Amino acid sequence: MSHENLAAGETAPRAKPRVAVLFGGRSSEHAVSCVTAAGVLGAINKDKYEVIPIGIAKTGQWVLAGADTAQWSLASTALPEVAPSPQTVTLAEIGGEHQLIVASPNEVPQELGTVDVVFPLLHGPFGEDGTIQGLLELSDTRYVGAGVLASAVGMDKHYMKVVFEAAGLHVGPYVAVTDRQWRKDPELVRKQVDRLGFPVFVKPARAGSSMGISKVDSLADLDAAIEEARKHDLKLVIEAGIIGREIECAVLEGRGTDAPRTSMPGEISVAGGTHEFYDFNAKYVEDDAASLSCPADIPEEAIARVRELAAAAFDAVGAEGLSRVDFFYTPAGELIINEINTMPGFTPKSMYPQMWAASGLDYADLIDELIYLALHRRTGLR
């Protein structure tokens, strides 16, 4: 491993770095995180890295998890879940090193050894939103992916749009609805949404993987959609429907001072039937519900523009490591940014790895590059 990008005064990682793969979590996307971990645990180079799987139960407890990928794979009959355990794992800084500690009731805590980098495969609140990143920052532990602020901005669809607009990116019409606004004056919210025109998409502001998202075709159905979204987040974003094709682009942080790298853009096609949009089942459960065309069948100048805008969005939120940026490509040739996902789905069939594979970087090498970037990143303010 080359160490030419290490910051001054920092020591090189050991010959075989120890990687803690962190997954599960407290959000409604717990199962998705487990499926992502199954993909990474199955592909990571065990000859190059010592891998420690750590699951986070829905209670928030950290536990030592099994490395058997079948345990964490998604089946239509059951969703994988990290179970609580009598043993709790914690990450602590001891003697200047980041140690994994296992504690059991009425027993002396046991040290499992040091950790060089954490790979947080957590989706949704309490994992993708800057919270786990803050915990790792407090212990000066290197980790894969975006930092605290970029994670928080990327998780909140409202503030994400505010940042994109400030950066000059084209954002579609929307209304942000707080808990107080909805409880105090629901009629005003209805009027604001009605002015957007129908259909609209009602979304929890800080959830992903299409959890709690509804397509609403009339004002009569709005309240029910809002209440469904509020089960996942009391803050909502309601977006005007945009006529256009859904184009995605994978972004990978550049090494050193290099600019972000972008994949060839891809286009998602969702099969008909029960899927009006790219929902949870289309993403993760049904193998033939969605397909990716990469590169997308759009003009060369549009491909170049998508890649340029995806890198701009990555920089706008201050992302690190990886992100997937989603756009609408309208019949008039206009590109409207939809969102950035700072910890996109990362199973082998997920769109982010598929776009990189189509661009010449396979799944295992992508994992290796992300760990490299994390190992060579400065800790603290940067």
Side-chain angles (χ1 to χ4, degrees):
M1 178 181 294
S2 170
H3 307 309
E4 68 273 9
N5 291 328
L6 282 173
E10 296 190 337
T11 58
R14 69 190 70 199
K16 191 172 182 180
R18 207 166 199 219
V19 180
V21 176
L22 193 61
F23 63 96
R26 295 169 54 194
S27 82
S28 59
E29 296 176 72
H30 180 101
V32 177
S33 177
C34 293
V35 176
T36 297
V40 171
L41 290 172
I44 193 170
N45 187 342
K46 307 296 196 309
D47 293 329
K48 190 172 183 178
Y49 304 107
E50 184 181 354
V51 181
I52 308 296
I54 299 176
I56 301 180
K58 291 182 177 180
T59 60
Q61 182 193 20
W62 290 30
V63 302
L64 283 177
D68 180 7
T69 58
Q71 180 181 0
W72 310 116
S73 299
L74 185 65
S76 57
T77 54
L79 296 178
E81 182 177 335
V82 177
S85 167
Q87 293 185 324
T88 295
V89 175
T90 59
L91 181 65
E93 187 172 358
I94 302 175
E97 292 190 326
H98 316 110
Q99 301 270 354
L100 284 174
I101 309 294
V102 177
S104 302
N106 304 317
E107 293 185 11
V108 177
Q110 301 294 314
E111 294 184 9
L112 290 181
T114 60
V115 172
D116 293 294
V117 65
V118 172
F119 203 142
L121 300 172
L122 299 164
H123 302 294
F126 312 112
E128 192 181 348
D129 58 354
T131 50
I132 195 73
Q133 290 78 11
L135 175 65
L136 296 173
E137 292 283 358
L138 285 171
S139 63
D140 279 335
T141 303
R142 290 180 173 84
Y143 55 92
V144 171
V148 176
L149 179 61
S151 297
V153 171
M155 194 73 230
D156 191 310
K157 293 178 174 65
H158 172 210
Y159 286 110
M160 176 199 306
K161 292 177 187 294
V162 171
V163 169
F164 285 161
E165 288 175 313
L169 298 168
H170 187 180
V171 173
Y174 71 96
V175 171
V177 182
T178 65
D179 175 50
R180 181 173 58 84
Q181 288 169 332
W182 178 243
R183 290 188 293 113
K184 181 179 180 181
D185 196 346
E187 185 57 33
L188 177 60
V189 172
R190 296 184 192 106
K191 289 178 180 177
Q192 291 174 328
V193 174
D194 196 32
R195 285 196 289 268
L196 291 176
F198 289 92
V200 297
F201 287 87
V202 178
K203 302 180 178 182
R206 295 162 292 194
S209 293
S210 302
M211 293 288 191
I213 297 179
S214 301
K215 181 183 178 184
V216 178
D217 294 310
S218 70
L219 194 61
D221 299 323
L222 179 63
D223 283 26
I226 287 177
E227 292 302 335
E228 177 62 29
R230 281 168 55 84
K231 294 176 183 177
H232 298 271
D233 188 357
L234 294 178
K235 181 181 179 182
L236 312 178
V237 167
I238 303 176
E239 300 171 346
I242 295 172
I243 297 174
R245 295 158 61 183
E246 295 185 44
I247 307 295
E248 302 188 347
C249 188
V251 186
L252 182 63
E253 180 185 355
R255 291 192 178 195
T257 58
D258 292 347
R261 293 164 276 182
T262 56
S263 72
M264 293 299 291
E267 179 174 14
I268 298 168
S269 299
V270 180
T274 60
H275 303 287
E276 284 196 85
F277 61 97
Y278 194 36
D279 61 10
F280 180 86
N281 283 343
K283 285 182 180 180
Y284 300 107
V285 179
E286 300 174 26
D287 288 337
D288 58 352
S291 61
L292 173 72
S293 298
C294 186
D297 186 16
I298 57 178
E300 288 293 329
E301 59 269 22
I303 287 177
R305 184 64 174 154
V306 167
R307 299 179 73 174
E308 177 187 354
L309 293 175
F314 187 88
D315 283 340
V317 301
E320 295 170 286
L322 71 165
S323 288
R324 193 195 69 239
V325 186
D326 304 342
F327 299 89
F328 294 110
Y329 181 62
T330 72
E334 191 175 27
L335 282 165
I336 301 172
I337 191 167
N338 182 24
E339 65 179 13
I340 188 170
N341 192 320
T342 58
M343 183 49 72
F346 206 81
T347 70
K349 66 171 285 187
S350 296
M351 300 309 167
Y352 182 88
Q354 283 197 56
M355 284 187 285
W356 274 119
S359 303
L361 185 63
D362 69 23
Y363 190 56
D365 288 338
L366 178 59
I367 293 169
D368 185 61
E369 181 65 12
L370 287 168
I371 294 172
Y372 174 93
L373 292 168
L375 283 170
H376 291 77
R377 184 175 299 144
R378 181 190 297 274
T379 57
L381 297 176
R382 52 187 180 270

